[in-house]
Amino acid sequence: MKTEILEIDESSLALSKRIIESGGVVAMPTETVYGLGANAFDSAAVERIFEIKGRPNDNPLIVHVHKDYDISTLVEDVPEYAKLLAKAFLPGPLTMVYKSKGTVSKAVSCGLDTLAIRVPSHEGAQRFLKFVNLPIAAPSANVSKHVSPTTAEHVYSDLNGKIELILDGGKSEGGIESTVLDCTGDIPVILRSGLITREMIAQVVGECGEYVYKDGMRAISPGMKYKHYSPNCRTVLFNFDELDKAVKLYREETSRGVKVYLLCDDKTVQEAKVENVLNLGKDENEIASNLYLKLREGEKVADLIIAVAPEKQDGVMVGVMNRLSKACR
Ligand code: AMP
Ligand code: MG
């Protein structure tokens, strides 16, 4: 199968609609990462997503809809706090989990009685969703467990030959996956951290919990239990106060002929004074935006990526650290 990368216009949208309506999959840009989408009502199409990615079949997908889509046809029991959060943050990088009405294919939620809904803010994503006017089930458009894609080229390098069409909407500026929020209980609970932080949610509705998955527990959000986001080379992660150890390892490995790159924020780059760096940038949004980009850049040139955690560990950095620690496991 030939894989085309097309800018978003009337003709590529018409093609994407034909593919989706005939049970195929289309890669689409969003403001977080690129998604691999299929008609959520079509079980065979949804199952193709799992096949193409090599995704474990107990890890459910998020359903993407345009901003005027009536989600009461898909889910029930939308609590008051969820309405407030939707008003504050949607369209945007926040996925909300509700009790499912069971109208979409069972394959989307992998047997759970809940459904995750997202309304992306990316203009190209909105155009695509509006054009097809269907709920689109989509995980990230990468091979399962590899680094998530933030450009059309990243999608191409993982899925070339396996899908027909990649809609190119430029770089995904957010850079890490959406915050996943359980909205089935009395208060919202974060299942996966992202750019909409616990602090931001608590500011709107007063309270926000965070679910911490530990090995062996039953996962409410099955995605938590998997190795993820990993580049195709060795990786090691150090704490922000272990830069001396990181630099020592960098020098030892380099002297043995290993191609080593240091992945860290700009402040640490300045202190480390080593030659090969993958600079994540300065502020927290820039760091999130560059994380997958730099991991993918790194795996092309490095045998070993030595990552050093940023000093700031709250806000958006909770999501960044979650990805970084899984990438370096
Ligand atoms: P991905 O888009 O590849 O990052 O994967 C979607 C994420 O959303 C995974 O971490 C899933 O476990 C999570 N997710 C999707 N649907 C649900 C749901 N109904 N309940 C809890 N988590 C979900
Ligand atoms: Mg993913």
PDB file of all heavy atoms in Angstrom, residues 33-34 53 55 59 138-149 177 192 223 228-229 292, ligand 2:
ATOM      1  N   VAL A  33      -0.534  14.959  19.827  1.00  0.00           N
ATOM      2  CA  VAL A  33       0.296  14.114  18.958  1.00  0.00           C
ATOM      3  C   VAL A  33      -0.598  13.717  17.779  1.00  0.00           C
ATOM      4  O   VAL A  33      -1.799  13.962  17.818  1.00  0.00           O
ATOM      5  CB  VAL A  33       0.824  12.846  19.702  1.00  0.00           C
ATOM      6  CG1 VAL A  33       1.628  13.214  20.932  1.00  0.00           C
ATOM      7  CG2 VAL A  33      -0.312  11.892  20.091  1.00  0.00           C
ATOM      8  N   TYR A  34      -0.026  13.083  16.750  1.00  0.00           N
ATOM      9  CA  TYR A  34      -0.849  12.610  15.628  1.00  0.00           C
ATOM     10  C   TYR A  34      -1.639  11.370  16.064  1.00  0.00           C
ATOM     11  O   TYR A  34      -1.146  10.541  16.828  1.00  0.00           O
ATOM     12  CB  TYR A  34       0.027  12.271  14.408  1.00  0.00           C
ATOM     13  CG  TYR A  34       0.297  13.476  13.532  1.00  0.00           C
ATOM     14  CD1 TYR A  34       1.080  14.532  13.999  1.00  0.00           C
ATOM     15  CD2 TYR A  34      -0.252  13.583  12.247  1.00  0.00           C
ATOM     16  CE1 TYR A  34       1.303  15.652  13.209  1.00  0.00           C
ATOM     17  CE2 TYR A  34      -0.022  14.698  11.452  1.00  0.00           C
ATOM     18  CZ  TYR A  34       0.750  15.727  11.939  1.00  0.00           C
ATOM     19  OH  TYR A  34       0.963  16.836  11.157  1.00  0.00           O
ATOM     20  N   LYS A  53      -1.032  -0.989  14.536  1.00  0.00           N
ATOM     21  CA  LYS A  53      -0.105  -0.510  15.570  1.00  0.00           C
ATOM     22  C   LYS A  53       0.589  -1.633  16.340  1.00  0.00           C
ATOM     23  O   LYS A  53       1.586  -1.410  17.012  1.00  0.00           O
ATOM     24  CB  LYS A  53      -0.862   0.330  16.615  1.00  0.00           C
ATOM     25  CG  LYS A  53      -1.261   1.702  16.190  1.00  0.00           C
ATOM     26  CD  LYS A  53      -1.814   2.466  17.391  1.00  0.00           C
ATOM     27  CE  LYS A  53      -0.871   2.522  18.561  1.00  0.00           C
ATOM     28  NZ  LYS A  53      -0.474   3.806  19.057  1.00  0.00           N
ATOM     29  N   ARG A  55      -1.066  -2.949  18.802  1.00  0.00           N
ATOM     30  CA  ARG A  55      -1.470  -2.473  20.134  1.00  0.00           C
ATOM     31  C   ARG A  55      -2.144  -3.599  20.919  1.00  0.00           C
ATOM     32  O   ARG A  55      -2.983  -4.316  20.371  1.00  0.00           O
ATOM     33  CB  ARG A  55      -2.463  -1.319  19.959  1.00  0.00           C
ATOM     34  CG  ARG A  55      -2.933  -0.639  21.230  1.00  0.00           C
ATOM     35  CD  ARG A  55      -3.855   0.508  20.855  1.00  0.00           C
ATOM     36  NE  ARG A  55      -4.458   1.232  21.957  1.00  0.00           N
ATOM     37  CZ  ARG A  55      -3.986   2.376  22.461  1.00  0.00           C
ATOM     38  NH1 ARG A  55      -2.866   2.897  21.978  1.00  0.00           N
ATOM     39  NH2 ARG A  55      -4.626   2.990  23.426  1.00  0.00           N
ATOM     40  N   ASN A  59      -6.141  -2.270  25.592  1.00  0.00           N
ATOM     41  CA  ASN A  59      -5.813  -0.850  25.809  1.00  0.00           C
ATOM     42  C   ASN A  59      -6.756   0.020  24.967  1.00  0.00           C
ATOM     43  O   ASN A  59      -6.571   0.164  23.765  1.00  0.00           O
ATOM     44  CB  ASN A  59      -4.348  -0.597  25.440  1.00  0.00           C
ATOM     45  CG  ASN A  59      -3.874   0.771  25.886  1.00  0.00           C
ATOM     46  OD1 ASN A  59      -4.592   1.482  26.599  1.00  0.00           O
ATOM     47  ND2 ASN A  59      -2.674   1.142  25.472  1.00  0.00           N
ATOM     48  N   ALA A 138      -9.316   6.938  17.969  1.00  0.00           N
ATOM     49  CA  ALA A 138      -7.917   7.100  17.568  1.00  0.00           C
ATOM     50  C   ALA A 138      -6.952   7.043  18.749  1.00  0.00           C
ATOM     51  O   ALA A 138      -7.105   7.801  19.699  1.00  0.00           O
ATOM     52  CB  ALA A 138      -7.726   8.431  16.836  1.00  0.00           C
ATOM     53  N   PRO A 139      -5.966   6.162  18.671  1.00  0.00           N
ATOM     54  CA  PRO A 139      -4.818   6.238  19.562  1.00  0.00           C
ATOM     55  C   PRO A 139      -3.735   7.058  18.854  1.00  0.00           C
ATOM     56  O   PRO A 139      -3.971   7.566  17.756  1.00  0.00           O
ATOM     57  CB  PRO A 139      -4.393   4.780  19.685  1.00  0.00           C
ATOM     58  CG  PRO A 139      -4.674   4.216  18.319  1.00  0.00           C
ATOM     59  CD  PRO A 139      -5.846   5.001  17.759  1.00  0.00           C
ATOM     60  N   SER A 140      -2.564   7.168  19.456  1.00  0.00           N
ATOM     61  CA  SER A 140      -1.468   7.850  18.772  1.00  0.00           C
ATOM     62  C   SER A 140      -1.040   7.034  17.539  1.00  0.00           C
ATOM     63  O   SER A 140      -1.126   5.804  17.546  1.00  0.00           O
ATOM     64  CB  SER A 140      -0.298   8.037  19.726  1.00  0.00           C
ATOM     65  OG  SER A 140       0.019   6.808  20.342  1.00  0.00           O
ATOM     66  N   ALA A 141      -0.583   7.741  16.500  1.00  0.00           N
ATOM     67  CA  ALA A 141      -0.309   7.099  15.206  1.00  0.00           C
ATOM     68  C   ALA A 141       1.128   6.580  15.093  1.00  0.00           C
ATOM     69  O   ALA A 141       1.834   6.870  14.128  1.00  0.00           O
ATOM     70  CB  ALA A 141      -0.609   8.082  14.071  1.00  0.00           C
ATOM     71  N   ASN A 142       1.550   5.813  16.098  1.00  0.00           N
ATOM     72  CA  ASN A 142       2.888   5.228  16.086  1.00  0.00           C
ATOM     73  C   ASN A 142       2.750   3.714  16.198  1.00  0.00           C
ATOM     74  O   ASN A 142       1.683   3.206  16.540  1.00  0.00           O
ATOM     75  CB  ASN A 142       3.700   5.743  17.281  1.00  0.00           C
ATOM     76  CG  ASN A 142       2.946   5.584  18.592  1.00  0.00           C
ATOM     77  OD1 ASN A 142       1.878   6.164  18.776  1.00  0.00           O
ATOM     78  ND2 ASN A 142       3.469   4.778  19.487  1.00  0.00           N
ATOM     79  N   VAL A 143       3.852   2.986  15.936  1.00  0.00           N
ATOM     80  CA  VAL A 143       3.886   1.563  16.260  1.00  0.00           C
ATOM     81  C   VAL A 143       3.847   1.483  17.785  1.00  0.00           C
ATOM     82  O   VAL A 143       4.497   2.268  18.473  1.00  0.00           O
ATOM     83  CB  VAL A 143       5.184   0.938  15.687  1.00  0.00           C
ATOM     84  CG1 VAL A 143       5.417  -0.439  16.277  1.00  0.00           C
ATOM     85  CG2 VAL A 143       5.118   0.880  14.168  1.00  0.00           C
ATOM     86  N   SER A 144       3.039   0.568  18.295  1.00  0.00           N
ATOM     87  CA  SER A 144       2.839   0.439  19.746  1.00  0.00           C
ATOM     88  C   SER A 144       4.184   0.404  20.488  1.00  0.00           C
ATOM     89  O   SER A 144       5.115  -0.275  20.047  1.00  0.00           O
ATOM     90  CB  SER A 144       2.058  -0.850  20.009  1.00  0.00           C
ATOM     91  OG  SER A 144       1.682  -0.909  21.347  1.00  0.00           O
ATOM     92  N   LYS A 145       4.271   1.142  21.544  1.00  0.00           N
ATOM     93  CA  LYS A 145       5.438   1.236  22.446  1.00  0.00           C
ATOM     94  C   LYS A 145       6.561   2.146  21.940  1.00  0.00           C
ATOM     95  O   LYS A 145       7.464   2.488  22.684  1.00  0.00           O
ATOM     96  CB  LYS A 145       6.028  -0.141  22.805  1.00  0.00           C
ATOM     97  CG  LYS A 145       5.002  -1.026  23.474  1.00  0.00           C
ATOM     98  CD  LYS A 145       5.576  -2.357  23.892  1.00  0.00           C
ATOM     99  CE  LYS A 145       4.539  -3.183  24.617  1.00  0.00           C
ATOM    100  NZ  LYS A 145       3.302  -3.398  23.818  1.00  0.00           N
ATOM    101  N   HIS A 146       6.488   2.543  20.663  1.00  0.00           N
ATOM    102  CA  HIS A 146       7.502   3.486  20.168  1.00  0.00           C
ATOM    103  C   HIS A 146       7.106   4.899  20.599  1.00  0.00           C
ATOM    104  O   HIS A 146       6.008   5.109  21.127  1.00  0.00           O
ATOM    105  CB  HIS A 146       7.600   3.358  18.629  1.00  0.00           C
ATOM    106  CG  HIS A 146       8.765   4.080  18.035  1.00  0.00           C
ATOM    107  ND1 HIS A 146       8.724   4.658  16.791  1.00  0.00           N
ATOM    108  CD2 HIS A 146      10.002   4.338  18.521  1.00  0.00           C
ATOM    109  CE1 HIS A 146       9.894   5.221  16.537  1.00  0.00           C
ATOM    110  NE2 HIS A 146      10.679   5.040  17.571  1.00  0.00           N
ATOM    111  N   VAL A 147       8.009   5.835  20.379  1.00  0.00           N
ATOM    112  CA  VAL A 147       7.770   7.241  20.704  1.00  0.00           C
ATOM    113  C   VAL A 147       6.566   7.762  19.906  1.00  0.00           C
ATOM    114  O   VAL A 147       6.460   7.510  18.703  1.00  0.00           O
ATOM    115  CB  VAL A 147       9.026   8.059  20.332  1.00  0.00           C
ATOM    116  CG1 VAL A 147       8.837   9.524  20.681  1.00  0.00           C
ATOM    117  CG2 VAL A 147      10.269   7.482  20.992  1.00  0.00           C
ATOM    118  N   SER A 148       5.666   8.511  20.543  1.00  0.00           N
ATOM    119  CA  SER A 148       4.498   9.040  19.834  1.00  0.00           C
ATOM    120  C   SER A 148       4.924  10.067  18.779  1.00  0.00           C
ATOM    121  O   SER A 148       5.934  10.738  18.937  1.00  0.00           O
ATOM    122  CB  SER A 148       3.535   9.697  20.824  1.00  0.00           C
ATOM    123  OG  SER A 148       3.115   8.754  21.776  1.00  0.00           O
ATOM    124  N   PRO A 149       4.135  10.188  17.688  1.00  0.00           N
ATOM    125  CA  PRO A 149       4.509  11.056  16.576  1.00  0.00           C
ATOM    126  C   PRO A 149       3.996  12.483  16.743  1.00  0.00           C
ATOM    127  O   PRO A 149       2.824  12.692  17.068  1.00  0.00           O
ATOM    128  CB  PRO A 149       3.801  10.399  15.381  1.00  0.00           C
ATOM    129  CG  PRO A 149       2.609   9.731  15.981  1.00  0.00           C
ATOM    130  CD  PRO A 149       2.914   9.397  17.407  1.00  0.00           C
ATOM    131  N   GLU A 177       0.660  13.492  24.887  1.00  0.00           N
ATOM    132  CA  GLU A 177      -0.738  13.096  24.765  1.00  0.00           C
ATOM    133  C   GLU A 177      -1.619  13.865  25.743  1.00  0.00           C
ATOM    134  O   GLU A 177      -1.157  14.349  26.781  1.00  0.00           O
ATOM    135  CB  GLU A 177      -0.910  11.593  25.020  1.00  0.00           C
ATOM    136  CG  GLU A 177      -0.211  10.692  24.018  1.00  0.00           C
ATOM    137  CD  GLU A 177       1.250  10.466  24.350  1.00  0.00           C
ATOM    138  OE1 GLU A 177       1.799  11.169  25.228  1.00  0.00           O
ATOM    139  OE2 GLU A 177       1.849   9.584  23.713  1.00  0.00           O
ATOM    140  N   ARG A 192      -4.238   9.983  33.266  1.00  0.00           N
ATOM    141  CA  ARG A 192      -2.960  10.219  32.570  1.00  0.00           C
ATOM    142  C   ARG A 192      -2.729  11.710  32.563  1.00  0.00           C
ATOM    143  O   ARG A 192      -3.607  12.477  32.151  1.00  0.00           O
ATOM    144  CB  ARG A 192      -3.034   9.689  31.131  1.00  0.00           C
ATOM    145  CG  ARG A 192      -1.764  10.025  30.329  1.00  0.00           C
ATOM    146  CD  ARG A 192      -1.767   9.434  28.949  1.00  0.00           C
ATOM    147  NE  ARG A 192      -2.696  10.129  28.062  1.00  0.00           N
ATOM    148  CZ  ARG A 192      -2.979   9.721  26.828  1.00  0.00           C
ATOM    149  NH1 ARG A 192      -2.424   8.626  26.340  1.00  0.00           N
ATOM    150  NH2 ARG A 192      -3.815  10.407  26.087  1.00  0.00           N
ATOM    151  N   GLY A 223      -3.842   1.811  29.577  1.00  0.00           N
ATOM    152  CA  GLY A 223      -2.613   2.342  28.992  1.00  0.00           C
ATOM    153  C   GLY A 223      -1.489   2.516  30.000  1.00  0.00           C
ATOM    154  O   GLY A 223      -0.312   2.457  29.661  1.00  0.00           O
ATOM    155  N   HIS A 228       6.190   2.255  27.148  1.00  0.00           N
ATOM    156  CA  HIS A 228       5.663   3.217  26.199  1.00  0.00           C
ATOM    157  C   HIS A 228       6.757   4.138  25.704  1.00  0.00           C
ATOM    158  O   HIS A 228       7.766   4.285  26.365  1.00  0.00           O
ATOM    159  CB  HIS A 228       4.687   4.135  26.955  1.00  0.00           C
ATOM    160  CG  HIS A 228       3.259   3.837  26.701  1.00  0.00           C
ATOM    161  ND1 HIS A 228       2.416   3.447  27.683  1.00  0.00           N
ATOM    162  CD2 HIS A 228       2.526   3.908  25.568  1.00  0.00           C
ATOM    163  CE1 HIS A 228       1.205   3.289  27.196  1.00  0.00           C
ATOM    164  NE2 HIS A 228       1.243   3.552  25.913  1.00  0.00           N
ATOM    165  N   TYR A 229       6.445   4.846  24.641  1.00  0.00           N
ATOM    166  CA  TYR A 229       7.196   6.044  24.272  1.00  0.00           C
ATOM    167  C   TYR A 229       8.699   5.799  24.086  1.00  0.00           C
ATOM    168  O   TYR A 229       9.499   6.707  24.243  1.00  0.00           O
ATOM    169  CB  TYR A 229       7.015   7.141  25.345  1.00  0.00           C
ATOM    170  CG  TYR A 229       5.643   7.243  25.948  1.00  0.00           C
ATOM    171  CD1 TYR A 229       5.441   7.096  27.318  1.00  0.00           C
ATOM    172  CD2 TYR A 229       4.536   7.500  25.145  1.00  0.00           C
ATOM    173  CE1 TYR A 229       4.170   7.197  27.880  1.00  0.00           C
ATOM    174  CE2 TYR A 229       3.257   7.608  25.702  1.00  0.00           C
ATOM    175  CZ  TYR A 229       3.089   7.450  27.057  1.00  0.00           C
ATOM    176  OH  TYR A 229       1.843   7.546  27.608  1.00  0.00           O
ATOM    177  N   TYR A 292       9.107  14.343  22.428  1.00  0.00           N
ATOM    178  CA  TYR A 292       9.100  13.227  21.467  1.00  0.00           C
ATOM    179  C   TYR A 292       9.946  13.541  20.241  1.00  0.00           C
ATOM    180  O   TYR A 292      10.586  12.660  19.669  1.00  0.00           O
ATOM    181  CB  TYR A 292       7.669  12.895  21.052  1.00  0.00           C
ATOM    182  CG  TYR A 292       6.822  12.313  22.158  1.00  0.00           C
ATOM    183  CD1 TYR A 292       5.465  12.595  22.245  1.00  0.00           C
ATOM    184  CD2 TYR A 292       7.375  11.471  23.119  1.00  0.00           C
ATOM    185  CE1 TYR A 292       4.674  12.047  23.253  1.00  0.00           C
ATOM    186  CE2 TYR A 292       6.589  10.926  24.130  1.00  0.00           C
ATOM    187  CZ  TYR A 292       5.241  11.215  24.186  1.00  0.00           C
ATOM    188  OH  TYR A 292       4.463  10.669  25.168  1.00  0.00           O
TER     189      TYR A 292
HETATM  190 MG    MG B   2      -0.153   5.988  22.381  1.00  0.00          MG
END
